[in-house]
Amino acid sequence: MKAEPGARDVARVPDSFLDLVQCPPVAVLSTVMPSGAPHSSVVWCDYEEPYLRVNTMRGFRKERNMRANPKVTLLCFDPAEPLRYLELRGRVVGMTEDGAGEHLDRLASNYAGRPVSYFGDAIPAEYADTEIPVLCRILPNQVIARDWTRW
């Protein structure tokens, strides 16, 4: 993957929309398939400025897509207010297995509202024997924040 861009190339999430990137109720990651077609999947995410972070498993389609083409879009919204959303366009600037399991446990705990382990609480423990978490850092270069609830 290329070196990270300078600060002028990074788009910031507006403070009034931070709730949508801190373990939002719904986040959809779109990646690019080898054929050029889009591939979208529901993911858990969080935001550690300036990076959006998602977790996947080694060998999953989205993981392979991001390694081949780092351009992604993350759409975050609250189903209770679907007219308020964030579309974050950017590129994956880092993928690592280091710390990915701990990150996945934090995401699972945030979504559960209590401390949990991803393997064993969120999904069956035996998956830990075959699945290897991968932490992906996304640097947004375009942020589209919309709130149509005030119409």
Side-chain angles (χ1 to χ4, degrees):
M1 289 182 194
K2 296 179 187 175
E4 294 180 25
R8 70 178 188 277
D9 299 322
V10 178
R12 190 174 180 284
V13 175
D15 290 343
S16 61
F17 285 81
L18 286 174
D19 62 304
L20 294 180
V21 290
Q22 290 297 352
C23 295
V26 176
V28 178
L29 178 70
S30 295
T31 61
V32 181
M33 296 281 287
S35 66
H39 174 267
S40 298
S41 55
V42 175
V43 295
W44 290 347
C45 73
D46 66 5
Y47 183 60
E48 187 174 77
E49 193 172 355
Y51 306 104
L52 296 153
R53 301 183 309 170
V54 298
N55 216 299
T56 187
M57 298 296 162
R58 187 193 308 158
F60 278 21
R61 177 80 264 170
K62 61 183 164 277
E63 189 257 355
R64 295 191 325 262
N65 288 349
M66 288 185 285
R67 288 197 189 280
N69 183 339
K71 293 178 184 176
V72 298
T73 296
L74 189 68
L75 178 66
C76 303
F77 66 95
D78 181 345
E81 291 188 34
L83 295 177
R84 182 174 169 266
Y85 64 89
L86 271 173
E87 180 185 350
L88 304 130
R89 298 175 188 170
R91 62 185 195 84
V92 178
V93 296
M95 296 176 76
T96 184
E97 294 170 13
D98 294 336
E102 294 81 6
H103 179 252
L104 195 51
D105 286 343
R106 280 193 306 275
L107 288 176
S109 296
N110 286 341
Y111 276 90
R114 60 185 169 76
V116 298
S117 294
Y118 180 75
F119 294 110
D121 292 321
I123 68 169
E126 56 267 18
Y127 282 103
D129 296 333
T130 58
E131 305 297 329
I132 299 171
V134 178
L135 173 59
C136 308
R137 292 183 313 143
I138 300 166
L139 197 60
N141 56 31
Q142 186 175 8
V143 174
I144 301 163
R146 296 289 185 260
D147 186 352
W148 301 111
T149 61
R150 298 182 185 152
W151 265 39

